[in-house]
Amino acid sequence: MTGPEVVIVGAGVVGAALAEELSARGWDRITVVDQGELPTPGGSSSHAPGLVFQTNGSKTMTELARYTVEKLVSLDLDGDPCFLQVGGLEVATTPERLAELHRRCGWATSWGLDARVVGPDECVELYPLLDRSKVLGGLHVPTDGLAKAVRAVLAQLRLAESRGVRVLDRTEVLDVLRESLPDGRSRVTGVRTSAGDLTADLVVCCAGIWGPKVAGMVGMSLPLTPLGHQLAWTGPVPSMTGLAQDAGGPECARPIVRHQDADLYYRDRFDAVGIGFYGHDPMPVTVDSILSPEAAPVMPSVLEFTPEDFAPAWAQSQSLLPDLGGAQLAEGINGLFSFTTDDMPLLGPSRDVDGFWVAEAVWVTHSAGVARAVSEWLVDGHCTSFDLHECDVNRFENHQLAPAYVLERSCQNFVEVYDIKHPLEPMVKPRPMRRSPFHARQVELGAYFLEAAGWERPHWYEANSVLLEGRSVPSPDAWAAQHWSPIAAAEAQVTRERVAMYDMTALARLSVAGPAATAFLEHVTTGSVGKSIGAVTYCLLLDEDGGVHSDVTVARLGETHYQVGANGPLDLDALVRRARDFGGHVTVENITAGTCCIGLWGPLAREVLQPLTDFDLSNDNLKYFRGAQFHVGTVPVTALRLSYVGELGWELYTTADQGLTLWDAIWTAGQEHGLIAAGRAAFNSLRLEKGYRSFGTDMTYEHSPWEAGLGFAVRLAKDDFVGRAAAEKRQGDVPRRLTCLTVRGDELGGDGIVLGKEPVFSGDACVGYVTSAAYGYTIGTGIAYAWLPAELASVGTELTIGWFDRRLPATVSAEPLVDPDMKRIRGL
């Protein structure tokens, strides 16, 4: 017997796949438990229509789907296939949707899928039921198709059972058993079921729509809402009579289809058509209201069909597929599926209960990929096949776990599931939730707010429109111009010319303190942080495989006290977990909500700040990457000589109660120097001109420091730190590089402005994808950072970037594009 004792709660597509993946990796002390009766225990997998469209704006989600397809294609159940690879076709009936399909084709190409935008004639050739006069084009992905979820569950469970896995159906989990730990947390010891107790070292919740109930047994909040989704079946369609089951043909031989303009999808079932509809009002249910398998008329995840809600779908379907006019609706359901607050799965371990894991909010499309990822994470301690930072269950801020927030966001995501959404599209409700102390002043200046982790964050200020006089600002095309203003260009230029203040409150701040604080930070980061008081160090957090987990700044404020500039809840989670190994001699605390920050940057920053303090702000006294604590007027601040925009200045931190006083003092003092408030749009342009990376966008867990251009932040000479051995091995292996491109416009305009995730081509071959992009208002050209093969990352290499149905010329350029000798930022 090998591996720990594992109980997997749920025998749907995720639980079955996880049992198979874990057993394939050598673990065999595994029990899968489900309250229902196999092969259809009653969760979402039991009624899922099975359509698998792999294309997603998230690289990770596309890769999880691709693995799922590859695995299911290889499986059969008694000779019957688990996947019908008939292809996927997304059709456009409006010009806006056709443009969106070109954008989606760019995603697919970026992430390595074979995809094409085809004309209306080919759409009809692929799916003859379509009305040629209504279709403008379509996105065709040949490897998409139809997953037979029930078959896939049984096929994978059979494989797992052949390796010693035990499967218990008709067995309800009543509780998760735990024992207390000395630090106040707990550890799982098993599960209590309707058939008795099972011992376990690990419990993995794959309970789908019941996930919040099972997680709640250990006090864990899952931001998941079960919502009803309409699925109806026609009777025989006259033009499909040759596809009837008795003809001996496959159940589905033509592509699965999406008609996203009307919130619809379609799939064949012999001579009938299945119609899925997202256009009705959300139908949320509480987990406690879901019936048991014994009490449910059909199954727990199937609710009674509501024909009145489906009426628009039937009318739209008969319009797009005229042959349906000769058919009748034969049956329908309102089936329950899991929706989350950000449309992403919930994967990973509980922070407070050792041994309790979740793999939740996973649809058939991503099921086997998620199982592969979680199995690697469990067995190896980290996942090497996929970047999971977008899926980690510990990624949420506290307010994002509030029941009212979870319900509102889940319902809105249902409504918008097929909407055309801009990358900067802000959520509408619930807002506002978090406001910095400067918010009132920002409103007075006409701030245009977008949302970041709940914070209202200015992107530009209408008060600065006067700065546009005499400035020439290139205009992006209509898509890129959403949530954009030429004022951002003026704000960026004034930052370089004079001085600007930026609200940096939304960036996460952690306090690390205690007698072991230095030893702890030396252990978890790649930098040498134990320097003199006032030192600031840029360094990385690595995974055990040497991938970049995050980038942070560590400021030593005292002998046993540090402030860490982090990237959000996942950094807090990682540091809190690591701190447990230091026996209570170090504490990690999130201080973001109780503090605030102003970035004061520009060549005149010292002239603004020095009259407000007795502290000597000269280069000799407070050098670049040093910090100090002093008063600005009456306000105590922690000042760090850092600049994410590449100009002289400081990050100025104080407590939230004194933030407005700090803003007013700086604002008043700065007026004689032409000080402005500037927003995030200008900030992003300036940071790309300096080549500064953004974790989660430019680099993620899958990248090494040297691939990302961050090898300088790794001190291999110091004592052992997390990921050191793997990082040392990866130092000389750099097959790809994060590369700076300058982008030119074409005859259709746009001035080379792209937004991110676009494919990069060398000739006709896709060779990489864009991460961050903006227009460089200092240098007068578009900027795009992209992942490219190392052999194409040489300065001067000519490439193109896919922008909808166009190609924009781009050139690999030396970085940074502005102030390469660092004279401006160092104030020399």
Side-chain angles (χ1 to χ4, degrees):
M1 303 290 283
T2 59
E5 285 192 279
V6 182
V7 171
I8 298 172
V9 182
V13 285
V14 181
L18 180 58
E20 194 283 325
E21 292 282 347
L22 284 174
S23 63
R25 296 175 70 83
W27 285 12
D28 58 6
R29 302 168 66 199
I30 301 169
T31 302
V32 182
V33 182
D34 200 296
Q35 64 181 340
E37 183 176 2
L38 288 167
T40 54
S44 301
S45 303
S46 299
H47 74 261
L51 287 79
V52 174
F53 291 93
Q54 299 166 84
T55 304
N56 193 290
S58 162
K59 180 174 182 285
T60 295
M61 294 297 278
T62 299
E63 291 175 339
L64 292 170
R66 182 166 54 210
Y67 179 85
T68 300
V69 168
E70 292 170 355
K71 183 175 184 179
L72 296 188
V73 164
S74 72
L75 296 176
D76 69 84
L77 184 71
D78 300 327
D80 292 324
C82 292
F83 193 84
L84 305 178
Q85 200 157 42
V86 294
L89 179 65
E90 303 179 38
V91 297
T93 59
T94 64
E96 294 79 12
R97 180 65 62 180
L98 184 60
E100 169 72 356
L101 294 186
H102 280 288
R103 185 168 75 113
R104 291 178 60 79
C105 187
W107 292 344
T109 304
S110 290
W111 315 145
L113 289 179
D114 178 19
R116 292 185 304 127
V117 174
V118 298
D121 289 337
E122 190 167 351
C123 288
V124 175
E125 182 180 341
L126 288 164
Y127 197 74
L129 296 185
L130 293 167
D131 183 342
R132 166 67 175 78
S133 68
K134 291 184 169 62
V135 176
L136 302 181
L139 173 62
H140 182 226
V141 179
T143 55
D144 287 346
L146 193 63
K148 301 301 294 178
V150 174
R151 286 183 200 166
V153 166
L154 291 181
Q156 291 176 99
L157 286 179
R158 283 186 185 179
L159 286 171
E161 287 178 301
S162 72
R163 305 181 188 120
V165 172
R166 180 171 54 157
V167 179
L168 303 177
D169 64 352
R170 293 171 291 178
T171 303
E172 183 180 3
V173 171
L174 305 174
D175 200 4
V176 177
L177 306 177
R178 293 174 285 164
E179 64 180 8
S180 298
L181 296 174
D183 61 3
R185 295 179 302 112
S186 62
R187 175 171 55 215
V188 301
T189 59
V191 295
R192 177 151 294 152
T193 79
S194 56
D197 291 353
L198 301 172
T199 60
D201 304 303
L202 296 170
V203 174
V204 187
C205 177
C206 304
I209 55 177
W210 292 279
K213 179 179 179 179
V214 176
M217 294 175 183
V218 298
M220 186 177 184
S221 296
L222 286 187
L224 180 159
T225 303
L227 285 116
H229 160 60
Q230 291 198 304
L231 174 66
W233 293 94
T234 71
V237 178
S239 62
M240 297 173 65
T241 53
L243 303 176
Q245 186 170 4
D246 57 13
E251 172 185 347
C252 179
R254 301 188 296 203
I256 56 175
V257 176
R258 273 176 171 165
H259 176 26
Q260 290 158 296
D261 285 323
D263 296 308
L264 288 161
Y265 62 78
Y266 306 99
R267 55 149 296 189
D268 291 356
R269 186 174 70 184
F270 301 109
D271 60 355
V273 176
I275 306 171
F277 185 44
Y278 287 104
H280 54 83
D281 289 338
M283 303 175 182
V285 302
T286 62
V287 176
D288 291 338
S289 70
I290 301 173
L291 298 176
S292 67
E294 295 77 19
V298 181
M299 64 177 70
S301 62
V302 171
L303 307 181
E304 184 178 359
F305 187 59
T306 49
E308 65 276 11
D309 291 309
F310 196 75
W314 184 232
Q316 287 279 0
S317 296
Q318 291 175 301
S319 174
L320 183 70
L321 312 177
D323 285 7
L324 297 188
Q328 300 293 321
L329 286 179
E331 57 181 307
I333 64 170
N334 288 350
L336 294 180
F337 289 99
S338 299
F339 280 78
T340 62
T341 58
D342 60 2
D343 287 329
M344 300 296 285
L346 308 172
L347 311 179
S350 163
R351 180 181 299 168
D352 300 314
V353 182
D354 282 1
F356 187 83
W357 288 63
V358 300
E360 286 291 342
V362 181
W363 291 8
V364 175
T365 299
H366 309 100
S367 56
V370 162
R372 171 69 179 271
V374 174
S375 69
E376 290 181 355
W377 199 348
L378 285 166
V379 175
D380 301 331
H382 59 277
C383 176
T384 55
S385 296
F386 309 96
D387 162 42
L388 296 181
H389 85 274
E390 295 175 299
C391 307
D392 193 313
V393 70
N394 296 293
R395 66 187 180 269
F396 299 100
E397 302 280 354
N398 287 336
H399 72 272
Q400 294 171 326
L401 299 176
Y405 179 92
V406 173
L407 179 61
E408 182 76 46
R409 294 306 310 145
S410 298
C411 289
Q412 190 63 36
N413 286 337
F414 178 92
V415 171
E416 296 176 348
V417 68
Y418 282 167
D419 283 6
I420 299 171
K421 292 193 283 190
H422 190 273
L424 294 178
E425 191 79 35
M427 69 180 191
V428 178
K429 294 187 297 184
R431 284 179 69 190
M433 289 181 294
R434 308 174 82 182
R435 286 172 282 196
S436 79
F438 322 130
H439 186 264
R441 297 293 183 266
Q442 293 164 347
V443 170
E444 292 170 1
L445 293 172
Y448 182 84
F449 292 102
L450 295 179
E451 181 264 348
W455 293 99
E456 295 296 310
R457 185 164 66 181
H459 270 240
W460 66 82
Y461 295 87
E462 289 296 329
N464 291 329
S465 61
V466 296
L467 299 173
L468 289 170
E469 186 176 348
R471 298 179 187 270
S472 176
V473 177
S475 297
D477 64 16
W479 178 255
Q482 296 183 58
H483 307 290
W484 174 88
S485 168
I487 296 171
E491 292 177 355
Q493 292 168 344
V494 169
T495 303
R496 294 264 189 252
E497 296 163 358
R498 302 199 301 259
V499 59
M501 55 196 299
Y502 291 80
D503 182 358
M504 304 298 291
T505 302
L507 299 183
R509 293 171 291 285
L510 311 177
S511 171
V512 178
T518 299
F520 167 68
L521 288 169
E522 289 284 352
H523 173 66
V524 299
T525 73
T526 62
S528 297
V529 303
K531 304 171 186 175
S532 61
I533 295 173
V536 182
T537 307
Y538 176 83
C539 45
L540 308 175
L541 307 180
L542 300 184
D543 280 335
E544 285 80 355
D545 67 349
V548 178
H549 186 94
S550 187
D551 64 334
V552 297
T553 55
V554 179
R556 190 170 196 181
L557 304 183
E559 286 292 335
T560 61
H561 182 208
Y562 293 82
Q563 179 173 301
V564 176
N567 282 298
L570 288 182
D571 289 354
L572 174 65
D573 180 66
L575 295 181
V576 166
R577 292 178 190 275
R578 300 283 186 189
R580 294 169 186 160
D581 296 333
F582 285 76
H585 299 297
V586 60
T587 61
V588 180
E589 181 185 1
N590 185 357
I591 61 172
T592 309
T595 56
C596 57
C597 179
I598 293 173
L600 180 66
W601 295 309
L604 300 181
R606 186 177 284 115
E607 280 80 350
V608 172
L609 191 60
Q610 185 63 80
L612 297 175
T613 180
D614 293 333
F615 187 86
D616 180 5
L617 296 174
S618 67
N619 275 331
D620 290 339
N621 193 53
L622 187 58
K623 294 182 172 61
Y624 183 54
F625 261 78
R626 296 285 299 179
Q629 294 178 311
F630 51 82
H631 284 81
V632 173
T634 62
V635 179
V637 301
T638 296
L640 304 184
R641 179 85 185 275
L642 308 176
S643 175
Y644 210 43
V645 303
E647 295 292 333
L648 168 69
W650 302 267
E651 295 177 357
L652 301 169
Y653 299 90
T654 191
T655 52
D657 61 316
Q658 300 205 58
L660 188 58
T661 303
L662 177 64
W663 176 285
D664 288 344
I666 295 172
W667 179 262
T668 300
Q671 292 312 293
E672 65 179 288
H673 302 287
L675 171 72
I676 64 166
R680 187 70 180 184
F683 177 92
N684 196 49
S685 170
L686 296 168
R687 70 106 175 162
L688 287 178
E689 289 183 335
K690 282 297 295 180
Y692 292 148
R693 277 68 167 143
S694 175
F695 176 80
T697 302
D698 296 316
M699 68 282 187
T700 64
Y701 298 174
E702 62 183 308
H703 304 117
S704 79
W706 292 275
E707 291 174 323
L710 299 174
F712 67 88
V714 182
R715 298 289 180 263
L716 291 173
K718 76 169 187 172
D719 290 341
D720 193 32
F721 55 86
V722 175
R724 184 191 180 283
E728 189 169 20
K729 292 179 182 178
R730 295 180 70 170
Q731 181 180 12
D733 181 21
V734 187
R736 57 190 172 180
R737 294 187 183 277
L738 183 61
T739 307
C740 178
L741 305 176
T742 49
V743 190
R744 303 181 295 283
D746 61 11
E747 67 278 2
L748 298 178
D751 289 286
I753 298 173
V754 299
L755 296 179
K757 301 186 179 182
E758 296 85 6
V760 180
F761 296 91
S762 177
D764 291 330
C766 178
V767 294
Y769 60 90
V770 173
T771 58
S772 294
Y775 193 83
Y777 297 109
T778 308
I779 60 175
T781 190
I783 305 169
Y785 272 77
W787 281 102
L788 297 175
E791 62 270 20
L792 293 177
S794 301
V795 172
T797 301
E798 296 292 334
L799 304 164
T800 58
I801 296 175
W803 179 246
F804 293 86
D805 57 348
R806 299 149 55 191
R807 295 280 188 89
L808 302 180
T811 305
V812 175
S813 300
E815 59 172 328
L817 297 167
V818 170
D819 192 28
D821 55 8
M822 302 290 284
K823 288 183 178 180
R824 296 177 67 90
I825 197 169
R826 294 181 183 275
L828 301 177

